[in-house]
Amino acid sequence: MALANALRVLSSHSSACSSSSSSLSSSRKKKASIATKHSSSRLGRSVIASCSSSSSSSSSSPESTNRSPRRRKKGREPLRAILEPCVLEPRSMDEDDDNGETEKITKKTIKRTMTSKDREDDNRSAATIVETDFLVIGSGIAGLSYALEAAEHGKVAVVTKSVAHEASTAYAQGGISAVISHLDTIDEHVNDTVVAGDYLCDEKAVRALCADGKSAIEKLVEIGTRFTKAEELEEKNKEKEKEEEQNIQTGAYQGLHLCREGGHGKPRIVHCDDMTGKEVERALVEATRKHPNVTFYEHHACVDLMTSSSSSSNTERRCVGAVAVSSGGKNDDDSHQEEASKIVRFYASTTLLACGGAGQLFPSTTNPVVCTGDGIGMAARANVVCENLEFVQFHPTALYADNDSSKSPAKKLDENENAFLITEAVRGHGGELWTHFERGERFMPNYDIRNELAPRDVVARAIHAEMRKNNSPCVYLDITKKDAEDVAKNFPGIYKELKKRNLDMTKQRIPVRPAAHYLCGGVKTNIDGETSLSGLFACGEVACTGVHGANRLASNSLLEGVVFARRAVKTATRKSKESLKQLLEDEFEDIVDEDDYLKCNYDVFNSSRKTKSNKRRGQMVKKDFLSGDAFAQSLRKEVQLSMWRACGIVRRTEDMRETLVKFKALQRLIDDEEEEAALLNSGNDDGTVTLALVEAKNLLAVGTLVLRSALKRKESRGLHYVVEYPDRVEGERVSTVLAPIENDDDDETRSNISSRSAIKMEGEEEEELFVVEQNKVVARGPR
């Protein structure tokens, strides 16, 4: 019943959000006033908390069923299951709980004493505790590259939400860019990257990426990655040229075939036909599974980071692991997880976020269903600094399929399928973009002198403009002028996929349109993968190393995953000389009585509060964690449609402001619905939290951060194009940093985003701001 009520309120609120800007402004002030009364946090409010009503620091009895669903009684704490950080802050003192029993907490031992009545009422089993040296959240190219290197220095736990191979890496088609040919140089790769990034890239990070490209490829070959070789293509195409001529034409190096993609001045893309990611993921999973120090935890959804700081020893706050929910299911190796959902707490001396981006923020995306912004959500809730989240890359050529042949010649294979990517290499091979399926006009020469090989942001906006001009759902990619046999052999994966959809790419144009593809911003790191939270590293799409700037250069993402993962391992092992046992013995020598609640920031260390009743601490995990959730599905769809309208390829300030107001109202609605659901289910032995709800709330939180970042930038640069500010502004050529919030002002008319970093990474010196000069590589200055 609570979910049904929520859906009705959700629907009514969506209509209300179309009101005038004056009424929205008035509503914002009122809601901000209400939210401020209910906000407190021991660590200072996180960025996520600023976008929603935070929990009250005091408890009260669950009364007043007639209150407004958008307003809680003063002093009532919303039973937030996910959007709170796990915080463990030990102290040395005695504290009386509500039942008159004494809870002894010392520096060496932490125990939480419960009455027999509490135990009987809770009717729950103990959470599983896993201790490891290195915790890796995610199983794509970044996470597994890190795991392989770290396994040489200690035990590694790889936690992944689905099966190990289900990551964005497996869906990457084009390849990996690297300077390995004698015809290419590192400086040229650096320049191409900075130009594509619209001069917002961090030159230090870019140079580190390009310089390590060759060694990254060699490492992947070493573990068994089977890249396409020049002689294989020569045999396939029945060519008889000499080896020297083949090297000049394709840039072949030591037998590897290199191709060229948009934005690259030279052929430098190492690939495996047109399914590079799938082959790389296969090799990494197999190599990692064989290592005796690596353990996979598949079907484990991480919901929050755990942090700790010892006030008695004045040590810095650090990440000590993460809490996850095991959901059951079949693993890659055909073994099975237990079916009942269970809390698993992973304690580690070093934690790596490598769980991908947030492509599911939009209704059409090339990303797999697991990409719901979980890593950014967890980091932000733990007050970790994020950066450049406004730069969402839309791949210009995702297949447009429809079962109505009048709309698209390519049919759908599944009603809920993600967009199938047509790699940029097709355009690099000579593909052209046309307005219509037959005849029409080739339009890219009207937009850029580089034609179809212009950077992705340029091509995506050109396609968007043509679609609007012709009132068409797509444009068309034409490769039919090339030899049919050559096309089929160079792009076997795409050729076979399109044939399944009744389309022959050697004879027919391919219907394409932009789809959400990559998040250039993320959790802010230095060039060694360190975040603003000690003990926490981030690599891959979840991170913002500064490499991509305002737009990612094609095929740089897989390279980034390998290069910065390897750098992170070196730093992590150097800084984690103590074992996990040594690290934690001063704070958690004895961990007892863990529970199956997702609300894991239970503060047994804060002397200013009384211990709460366990039923007031959080919502329980549903036994069938993967069960359907109508409310979560509706919330997810609402977020996706709203983000496409307000924060798509072309953006308008007023649309973004209205959507931000809507998202904050949705967050308050969720808080109230969770509270009511917890009260209604207080007597049941099953919970209400599902994986679908966890993901939907993360999407809502990350969407809020993206909107805040986009509203801060008063210019158009790279992937961020806003109608009111159509030009680049040199004064705006700085990173957008979402720093931890230190005040309770929740007025959405104000931005808690700074143009400079609120932290300074260890070992990272400030660089002077470079001036943009024609034909010179520039950096964005201090981060």
Side-chain angles (χ1 to χ4, degrees):
M1 184 171 64
L3 290 178
N5 293 336
L7 288 171
R8 286 195 293 271
V9 177
L10 179 62
S11 176
S12 62
H13 181 76
S14 298
S15 301
C17 283
S18 61
S19 60
S20 65
S21 58
S22 60
S23 62
L24 284 168
S25 177
S26 174
S27 175
R28 286 198 294 265
K29 294 179 181 179
K30 181 178 180 181
K31 291 168 184 172
S33 175
I34 295 173
T36 304
K37 295 179 181 179
H38 298 281
S39 54
S40 71
S41 171
R42 298 185 312 282
L43 292 176
R45 299 185 55 206
S46 68
V47 177
I48 296 291
S50 75
C51 306
S52 62
S53 51
S54 299
S55 59
S56 171
S57 60
S58 60
S59 64
S60 64
S61 59
E63 298 176 358
S64 183
T65 57
N66 294 323
R67 70 186 187 287
S68 168
R70 302 259 287 276
R71 181 166 183 159
R72 290 185 296 273
K73 276 185 171 291
K74 185 175 181 179
R76 296 197 56 163
E77 181 178 22
L79 302 182
R80 305 163 69 90
I82 311 302
L83 298 181
E84 291 286 356
C86 299
V87 182
L88 302 173
E89 299 187 34
R91 62 181 175 81
S92 291
M93 64 177 296
D94 296 340
E95 180 176 89
D96 292 339
D97 64 11
D98 288 340
N99 298 298
E101 297 186 13
T102 299
E103 187 175 67
K104 182 72 174 179
I105 303 176
T106 67
K107 182 178 180 181
K108 288 288 184 182
T109 304
I110 296 176
K111 291 187 177 182
R112 184 166 68 246
T113 305
M114 297 172 56
T115 66
S116 58
K117 184 178 185 302
D118 286 333
R119 296 180 187 276
E120 182 180 351
D121 288 344
D122 284 338
N123 189 24
R124 64 180 182 273
S125 59
T128 300
I129 303 297
V130 176
E131 295 183 5
T132 187
D133 297 306
F134 301 93
L135 172 62
V136 179
I137 304 174
S139 59
I141 189 171
L144 296 184
S145 296
Y146 179 96
L148 268 179
E149 299 275 340
E152 300 300 320
H153 305 278
K155 293 183 178 180
V156 181
V158 178
V159 181
T160 179
K161 188 162 60 172
S162 182
V163 292
H165 69 264
E166 183 65 10
S168 291
T169 299
Y171 294 81
Q173 293 179 356
I176 306 176
S177 60
V179 178
I180 61 176
S181 169
H182 67 280
L183 301 174
D184 198 5
T185 67
I186 291 175
D187 284 341
E188 288 178 288
H189 191 187
V190 169
N191 186 72
D192 289 345
T193 300
V194 172
V195 171
D198 212 349
Y199 303 99
L200 197 64
C201 303
D202 185 324
E203 186 184 12
K204 184 179 179 181
V206 173
R207 194 159 291 278
L209 175 84
C210 299
D212 291 346
K214 182 178 177 180
S215 63
I217 295 298
E218 290 172 346
K219 180 65 178 179
L220 290 173
V221 171
E222 179 186 323
I223 66 171
T225 307
R226 299 186 288 262
F227 291 116
T228 298
K229 295 183 178 181
E231 56 266 29
E232 291 175 355
L233 280 184
E234 182 178 346
E235 183 179 347
K236 285 181 180 180
N237 297 326
K238 300 177 182 178
E239 296 174 347
K240 302 298 182 181
E241 292 92 342
K242 294 181 180 180
E243 183 178 354
E244 294 86 349
E245 293 174 349
Q246 180 72 13
N247 285 347
I248 292 174
Q249 290 178 7
T250 65
Y253 169 82
Q254 292 186 353
L256 296 181
H257 178 267
L258 305 180
C259 63
R260 182 184 175 191
E261 291 185 349
H264 291 273
K266 294 285 181 67
R268 63 170 68 100
I269 312 302
V270 180
H271 63 101
C272 178
D273 292 331
D274 58 346
M275 292 293 170
T276 307
K278 187 175 182 179
E279 169 59 19
V280 171
E281 184 73 8
R282 177 205 63 77
L284 281 168
V285 170
E286 289 182 3
T288 311
R289 285 194 185 280
K290 292 177 182 177
H291 203 292
N293 281 348
V294 179
T295 304
F296 279 84
Y297 293 87
E298 296 172 283
H299 301 287
H300 282 65
C302 284
V303 294
D304 260 320
L305 300 172
M306 296 188 293
T307 62
S308 174
S309 64
S310 177
S311 58
S312 58
S313 58
N314 295 319
T315 58
E316 63 179 339
R317 189 172 70 95
R318 63 173 292 118
C319 180
V320 296
V323 60
V325 180
S326 64
S327 56
K330 188 175 182 180
N331 300 332
D332 267 347
D333 58 2
D334 292 330
S335 61
H336 286 265
Q337 298 280 355
E338 58 185 61
E339 294 183 0
S341 301
K342 189 175 182 63
I343 292 292
V344 182
R345 301 180 190 276
F346 293 91
Y347 290 92
S349 56
T350 297
T351 300
L352 174 76
L353 287 176
C355 42
Q360 294 295 324
L361 267 177
F362 298 90
S364 179
T365 177
T366 61
N367 291 182
V369 294
V370 295
C371 294
T372 52
D374 303 331
I376 296 172
M378 287 188 288
R381 291 192 290 275
N383 259 4
V384 180
V385 177
C386 295
E387 181 179 30
N388 286 347
L389 289 171
E390 69 269 34
F391 298 116
V392 180
Q393 186 178 77
F394 290 83
H395 196 288
T397 54
L399 178 68
Y400 172 59
D402 198 289
N403 290 327
D404 185 347
S405 58
S406 64
K407 295 181 179 179
S408 172
K411 71 174 184 178
K412 280 189 173 184
L413 299 181
D414 188 298
E415 193 61 33
N416 298 317
E417 66 184 6
N418 288 331
F420 179 74
L421 180 67
I422 306 298
T423 176
E424 205 144 17
V426 174
R427 282 178 283 135
H429 199 71
E432 300 173 345
L433 288 167
W434 290 74
T435 56
H436 294 83
F437 185 55
E438 296 177 349
R439 298 189 179 86
E441 175 191 5
R442 183 188 175 197
F443 57 85
M444 277 310 300
N446 300 330
Y447 291 90
D448 196 282
I449 59 173
R450 292 163 289 188
N451 299 330
E452 281 78 10
L453 292 181
R456 289 176 175 177
D457 60 321
V458 176
V459 180
R461 281 197 295 273
I463 292 175
H464 183 266
E466 290 296 319
M467 288 167 56
R468 289 176 62 89
K469 183 170 71 174
N470 298 309
N471 194 28
S472 171
C474 66
V475 296
Y476 296 86
L477 181 61
D478 188 356
I479 192 75
T480 60
K481 295 178 183 177
K482 296 295 180 179
D483 179 74
E485 186 177 357
D486 176 68
V487 170
K489 289 177 179 178
N490 276 278
F491 307 103
I494 297 175
Y495 179 78
K496 292 176 182 176
E497 179 70 19
L498 294 180
K499 287 290 283 185
K500 293 179 186 176
R501 300 169 182 271
N502 299 334
L503 189 76
D504 187 344
M505 66 184 295
T506 65
K507 299 177 181 178
Q508 299 169 289
R509 293 175 180 174
I510 308 168
V512 294
R513 67 177 181 181
H517 183 58
Y518 193 88
L519 185 60
C520 291
V523 178
K524 178 177 167 57
T525 73
N526 61 13
I527 61 172
D528 294 320
E530 295 178 279
T531 70
S532 60
L533 177 61
S534 178
L536 179 67
F537 291 73
C539 290
E541 189 175 354
V542 72
C544 182
T545 60
V547 160
H548 305 307
N551 181 33
R552 176 174 69 83
L553 180 64
S555 291
N556 266 0
S557 58
L558 293 181
L559 178 64
E560 181 195 31
V562 179
V563 169
F564 289 99
R566 298 176 71 189
R567 295 181 68 96
V569 171
K570 294 177 182 178
T571 303
T573 53
R574 186 178 72 249
K575 291 191 172 184
S576 302
K577 295 179 180 179
E578 295 181 324
S579 66
L580 174 65
K581 182 177 180 181
Q582 181 66 35
L583 172 70
L584 299 180
E585 69 176 0
D586 289 341
E587 300 180 1
F588 321 119
E589 189 175 78
D590 187 19
I591 302 172
V592 296
D593 200 28
E594 297 290 355
D595 59 54
D596 273 341
Y597 281 90
L598 274 179
K599 172 89 173 192
C600 47
N601 67 325
Y602 177 56
D603 187 4
V604 299
F605 312 107
N606 191 342
S607 59
S608 64
R609 333 177 21 174
K610 296 292 184 179
T611 302
K612 295 180 181 299
S613 165
N614 292 313
K615 290 181 182 179
R616 296 285 297 137
R617 283 192 280 119
Q619 285 184 291
M620 290 180 65
V621 180
K622 194 171 183 63
K623 289 179 179 178
D624 183 4
F625 191 54
L626 299 179
S627 62
D629 189 328
F631 174 73
Q633 291 173 359
S634 295
L635 174 62
R636 183 174 184 145
K637 184 172 293 186
E638 180 69 20
V639 169
Q640 289 175 335
L641 293 175
S642 297
M643 286 298 292
W644 174 245
R645 288 192 295 263
C647 233
I649 298 173
V650 176
R651 301 165 177 177
R652 290 173 174 77
T653 301
E654 189 59 32
D655 291 342
M656 291 189 287
R657 285 175 177 167
E658 289 184 6
T659 303
L660 182 59
V661 174
K662 177 198 291 185
F663 281 8
K664 292 171 125 182
L666 286 174
Q667 184 59 65
R668 285 190 286 270
L669 169 64
I670 292 170
D671 292 343
D672 288 337
E673 286 301 319
E674 285 180 348
E675 187 172 2
E676 292 175 8
L679 294 175
L680 291 173
N681 288 276
S682 60
N684 301 335
D685 61 356
D686 195 9
T688 58
V689 177
T690 63
L691 176 60
L693 182 60
V694 173
E695 292 178 331
K697 292 175 72 174
N698 277 333
L699 287 174
L700 178 62
V702 176
T704 301
L705 299 183
V706 171
L707 287 165
R708 284 189 174 276
S709 296
L711 284 168
K712 179 62 178 178
R713 185 167 292 278
K714 308 298 183 184
E715 66 162 350
S716 289
R717 184 180 295 274
L719 300 165
H720 174 70
Y721 183 85
V722 58
V723 173
E724 290 81 2
Y725 306 98
D727 302 316
R728 284 186 298 183
V729 179
E730 176 58 23
E732 291 284 327
R733 193 173 61 85
V734 291
S735 292
T736 305
V737 177
L738 296 174
I741 296 173
E742 298 178 354
N743 60 71
D744 287 335
D745 186 1
D746 194 38
D747 188 350
E748 57 275 358
T749 60
R750 293 188 53 187
S751 175
N752 291 296
I753 305 172
S754 63
S755 60
R756 291 290 192 274
S757 173
I759 61 169
K760 184 176 180 179
M761 302 295 182
E762 184 174 338
E764 185 180 51
E765 297 180 358
E766 283 195 354
E767 302 172 4
E768 296 201 358
L769 187 65
F770 287 77
V771 179
V772 177
E773 297 182 20
Q774 191 174 9
N775 299 325
K776 288 188 178 181
V777 175
V778 295
R780 59 182 168 185
R783 296 179 63 218

